[in-house]
Amino acid sequence: MKNKNLYKPTNFIRSTLILTGGTTAAQIILFLSSILITRLYTPSDLGFFSYYVNLITIISSFSILKYDQAIFLSKNERTTRSLILICIALSIISSVFFLVLIIISKNKISDNIPIQSGWIYLFPIAIIAVNINQILLSYTTKKKDYYNISNSKIIQTITITAAQLSTYKFGYIGLIISHIISIFASIIFITSKTSTNLPQEKTPKKFIFLAFKRYKKFPLYATPSSLMNSIGVYLPSIIYANIYSTDIAGLYFLSHRILMLPITLISNAAGQVFLSESREKVKKHTLRHSTAYTFTMLTHCSLPFFSIFYIISPDLYSVAFSSNWEMSGEITKWILPWVTLIFIGSPFINLFNILEKQKTFLLYQTILLSMRIISLYVGYLENSFELTVKIYAYASAIWWISIFIWIYRTLNLKNLKIIGHTIESVAISTTMIILYQMIYFFHAGNLAKIFLFLLCFIFGTLHVTRIPQKHRFIKKSFGV
């Protein structure tokens, strides 16, 4: 007889919806503000800003050696306290290190970074702010305080939007200052809400050392993996700014930013809940059911909407952000298959930490970084921005498919009928795109375009409205 309490997806959905609720409001504000920002700032301004943001993200990916991820897995408050102290100490050390580096090598850095020399001193401040914010979010997620996580996203988005709209006369410097202010706003909010819950007791040094040693796989394997992933994801904008122009980097940044909205909205929220509940799932031997269910639901929800976005993106960017940003719509079509796989797969990257397979993930990240570097180099040799982006995106998409295969084999999902559900979603999305592409083959007029778009939209909407029914069917097919 099957245990009906083996896995309760309703708890997962409820927690995800709490996170998604606040994130939805934040991303709506971010999208609406983008309409104004693209009219107040130039593509070049966004190119400089993307350079700064991507550089900070790359540095932050290794500066605390990923010990913040270990907070999720700590088994008691003493270990949690130790890990928090380790993270704070590493954050301070890394920030001071980069400050000293800037002071010593200011001229050389200024020659290689397209940002006014006086403003590079903001980098250490941004690094420590990003790290502290991540530590607080990790602890809050461990405590399953999804309401405050959700509200912090809203606070951060409102702050950065207000600041960017107020400082547009300063160009890209206004964007950079706004970003730092928004992170501090998030830190202040989370601290005010969780200060009474944060560990207060003094922690002996020996327990800190034990925690540092116990989770040594994170600095040894997770940190290089995270660094390589950050370099692979964020390095292109930096390279585009140096090789092509900051205008090109700004156009790429906008398309990437808009596509990342649903990932931030839903996928990251699902990933946070998936990770926070993972230890319980491992104990109950239901991790494979949780993985199969989450993967299938994300696939059913995402593919139709990403297909519609593929169809409308060129016209959408031109109308919403003005004709100066029309090229961003074309870039969106080039990278959309890759971003779709990120949306579906990003929650399951946590499986490498949950199963303590950081060494395996390091190997995967090494392969991915190699593929991406080759892609960028080939595009550079051909002196083609379009070719560079396409090869880069397709190589990244192939890597994500290999990750799905690893998860499928490692968790032995072959008995959970996951492939059948995936094929159904892929078939529906592919049909929508083929229908719309027919209008270009037959050189159809605007009326035919509108008709086929509405047909695709109705087709996708009908698919999504069946999700509650599919939810019950998927539960049954997974035997939960």
Side-chain angles (χ1 to χ4, degrees), residues 60-343:
S60 300
S61 68
F62 67 86
S63 55
I64 54 176
L65 304 180
K66 302 309 291 181
Y67 273 107
D68 58 303
Q69 296 295 308
I71 293 174
F72 295 114
L73 306 178
S74 58
K75 297 179 180 180
N76 53 63
E77 283 297 311
R78 185 178 63 191
T79 304
T80 301
R81 289 197 302 271
S82 300
L83 289 170
I84 290 174
L85 291 173
I86 290 170
C87 290
I88 293 173
L90 289 172
S91 180
I92 295 172
I93 291 170
S94 61
S95 184
V96 171
F97 170 79
F98 282 105
L99 176 60
V100 173
L101 183 65
I102 289 171
I103 294 173
I104 295 174
S105 309
K106 180 181 177 182
N107 293 331
K108 290 183 179 180
I109 294 173
S110 298
D111 291 339
N112 292 280
I113 295 180
I115 294 177
Q116 295 176 16
S117 59
W119 294 101
I120 61 176
Y121 288 103
L122 291 174
F123 277 67
I125 299 173
I127 291 168
I128 195 169
V130 169
N131 286 334
I132 295 298
N133 190 51
Q134 184 55 48
I135 295 166
L136 290 171
L137 286 174
S138 296
Y139 179 75
T140 311
T141 302
K142 176 181 173 58
K143 293 298 182 182
K144 300 183 180 181
D145 189 1
Y146 302 124
Y147 286 106
N148 281 325
I149 295 174
S150 179
N151 290 334
S152 72
K153 296 180 185 296
I154 297 175
I155 295 294
Q156 186 171 353
T157 303
I158 292 174
T159 304
I160 193 171
T161 299
Q164 287 177 344
L165 295 178
S166 302
T167 59
Y168 71 92
K169 291 184 178 180
F170 297 98
Y172 70 87
I173 297 299
L175 293 171
I176 293 174
I177 294 174
S178 300
H179 178 256
I180 296 175
I181 292 173
S182 70
I183 296 172
F184 276 108
S186 176
I187 292 172
I188 293 170
F189 175 80
I190 298 176
T191 304
S192 66
K193 296 296 181 181
T194 61
S195 58
T196 55
N197 296 324
L198 286 171
Q200 304 290 334
E201 299 177 16
K202 186 177 180 180
T203 304
K205 292 181 180 179
K206 70 173 184 178
F207 292 126
I208 297 176
F209 176 77
L210 288 173
F212 191 88
K213 185 177 180 181
R214 164 66 180 85
Y215 295 100
K216 64 182 180 181
K217 286 187 177 181
F218 286 88
L220 289 177
Y221 302 119
T223 300
S225 297
S226 177
L227 176 60
M228 285 189 284
N229 180 65
S230 295
I231 290 174
V233 172
Y234 300 107
L235 187 62
S237 287
I238 297 175
I239 291 177
Y240 299 155
N242 286 326
I243 295 179
Y244 301 107
S245 68
T246 52
D247 285 12
I248 290 292
L251 292 168
Y252 178 86
F253 176 75
L254 179 65
S255 62
H256 191 267
R257 177 180 182 177
I258 296 301
L259 281 178
M260 292 301 288
L261 291 181
I263 294 176
T264 306
L265 176 63
I266 300 173
S267 186
N268 286 355
Q272 284 180 296
V273 177
F274 183 83
L275 180 60
S276 66
E277 298 181 351
S278 60
R279 289 186 69 248
E280 181 182 351
K281 298 293 185 287
V282 171
K283 288 180 180 178
K284 294 183 178 180
H285 304 288
T286 61
L287 184 62
R288 60 194 295 265
H289 298 84
S290 172
T291 302
Y293 170 80
T294 306
F295 178 88
T296 304
M297 294 305 296
L298 286 174
T299 302
H300 276 285
C301 290
S302 64
L303 289 183
F305 282 112
F306 277 116
S307 299
I308 292 173
F309 200 71
Y310 177 89
I311 292 168
I312 68 172
S313 58
D315 295 325
L316 175 64
Y317 279 82
S318 181
V319 173
F321 307 117
S322 82
S323 57
N324 291 335
W325 302 88
E326 186 175 355
M327 183 61 183
S328 290
E330 292 298 326
I331 296 173
T332 295
K333 294 181 69 173
W334 303 341
I335 67 176
L336 192 56
W338 161 47
V339 175
T340 302
L341 295 178
I342 295 177
F343 178 90

Side-chain angles (χ1 to χ4, degrees), residues 316-423:
L316 175 64
Y317 279 82
S318 181
V319 173
F321 307 117
S322 82
S323 57
N324 291 335
W325 302 88
E326 186 175 355
M327 183 61 183
S328 290
E330 292 298 326
I331 296 173
T332 295
K333 294 181 69 173
W334 303 341
I335 67 176
L336 192 56
W338 161 47
V339 175
T340 302
L341 295 178
I342 295 177
F343 178 90
I344 297 171
S346 57
F348 309 110
I349 291 299
N350 294 317
L351 285 170
F352 288 93
N353 286 332
I354 295 168
L355 301 175
E356 298 195 23
K357 297 288 185 180
Q358 292 94 340
K359 191 174 182 179
T360 302
F361 190 55
L362 176 59
L363 175 61
Y364 271 102
Q365 286 290 358
T366 304
I367 295 171
L368 175 61
L369 183 60
S370 301
M371 293 169 63
R372 285 172 165 172
I373 290 174
I374 292 172
S375 301
L376 293 170
Y377 185 66
V378 170
Y380 168 72
L381 291 178
E382 295 295 326
N383 194 28
S384 171
F385 171 68
E386 179 178 347
L387 181 64
T388 303
V389 174
K390 286 182 176 179
I391 297 177
Y392 174 90
Y394 297 155
S396 300
I398 291 171
W399 180 84
W400 272 105
I401 293 173
S402 71
I403 290 292
F404 294 153
I405 294 173
W406 180 86
I407 293 171
Y408 180 81
R409 290 179 175 177
T410 302
L411 295 184
N412 191 26
L413 301 179
K414 61 184 179 180
N415 296 325
L416 297 181
K417 303 179 182 179
I418 194 172
I419 291 180
H421 295 301
T422 303
I423 291 175

